[in-house]
Amino acid sequence: MNCPFCQPDIQTSVFARSEHFLALYNRAPVFPGHSLVIPIKHVHSLLELSEEETTEMMLFSRKVTTLLLKVFKAQAFDWSVQDGEAAGQSMAHLHLHIVPRYPGDRADPGDWYPEVQQNYNEILDSALRPQIKSREMEGIVKKLREQAGEEGLY
Ligand SMILES: [Zn+2]
């Protein structure tokens, strides 16, 4: 399978986990703290999750969001899921973008969305956006894991 979220090296980006979900740091973040929540199993759509999994995903994503807001000192956030090809999904593995936001980070707060759309195809290996250096990435993931560990999420 070609899915980047199903490759073993995804583990280097993971900073929090629940029974069926992982949180990982985006290697080409649109904003500082831009992370993804994915199911561990290869699931295409949010609509394929059981009710229990949907609940788990929502509660886990909330905890991850709280953690990101704390670590990145943000007070606001966007969540985004592109579900289905017509919605812009081109990677067939469900993922929720969690994007911490900062006052005045864009001229209009809605300006972020096209950037995430552009980011979407390139989540793991962005040719369009400079990727953060692997050492910087390691530092961020380490810090997030420590915080997640304190909260029983890693
Ligand atoms: Zn997958």
Side-chain angles (χ1 to χ4, degrees):
M1 188 171 340
N2 266 336
C3 176
F5 291 154
C6 292
Q7 305 307 315
D9 74 345
I10 197 74
Q11 294 301 328
T12 60
S13 312
V14 171
F15 63 86
R17 59 181 83 239
S18 67
E19 193 180 349
H20 301 104
F21 294 87
L22 299 174
L24 47 119
Y25 198 70
N26 192 328
R27 284 184 202 167
V30 172
F31 292 99
H34 181 182
S35 299
L36 303 165
V37 167
I38 63 168
I40 292 169
K41 69 176 177 184
H42 187 84
V43 172
H44 195 147
S45 169
L46 187 63
L47 304 180
E48 290 171 45
L49 298 180
S50 68
E51 290 196 356
E52 291 75 18
E53 288 166 334
T54 306
T55 302
E56 182 185 331
M57 185 177 183
M58 180 63 80
L59 294 176
F60 176 62
S61 299
R62 274 199 343 171
K63 287 178 189 165
V64 169
T65 301
T66 302
L67 182 102
L68 290 168
L69 295 183
K70 195 168 169 183
V71 171
F72 288 90
K73 299 181 172 41
Q75 289 83 41
F77 62 93
D78 287 294
W79 277 14
S80 176
V81 173
Q82 289 81 34
D83 201 307
E85 230 173 282
Q89 181 178 17
S90 60
M91 192 183 298
H93 190 135
L94 170 63
H95 54 283
L96 168 70
H97 293 265
I98 302 176
V99 187
R101 299 297 303 271
Y102 308 87
D105 59 11
R106 290 295 182 274
D108 183 298
D111 289 349
W112 72 284
Y113 192 70
E115 295 179 55
V116 168
Q117 280 295 93
Q118 187 183 12
N119 182 235
Y120 182 68
N121 292 334
E122 316 289 343
I123 284 163
L124 294 169
D125 287 296
S126 176
L128 304 172
R129 184 186 312 283
Q131 289 193 41
I132 52 179
K133 295 189 184 80
S134 60
R135 188 173 295 172
E136 187 187 346
M137 175 84 183
E138 278 171 29
I140 291 169
V141 169
K142 184 168 178 276
K143 190 174 176 185
L144 288 170
R145 282 176 181 170
E146 284 166 5
Q147 189 65 39
E150 280 179 28
E151 294 168 31
L153 295 172
Y154 187 78

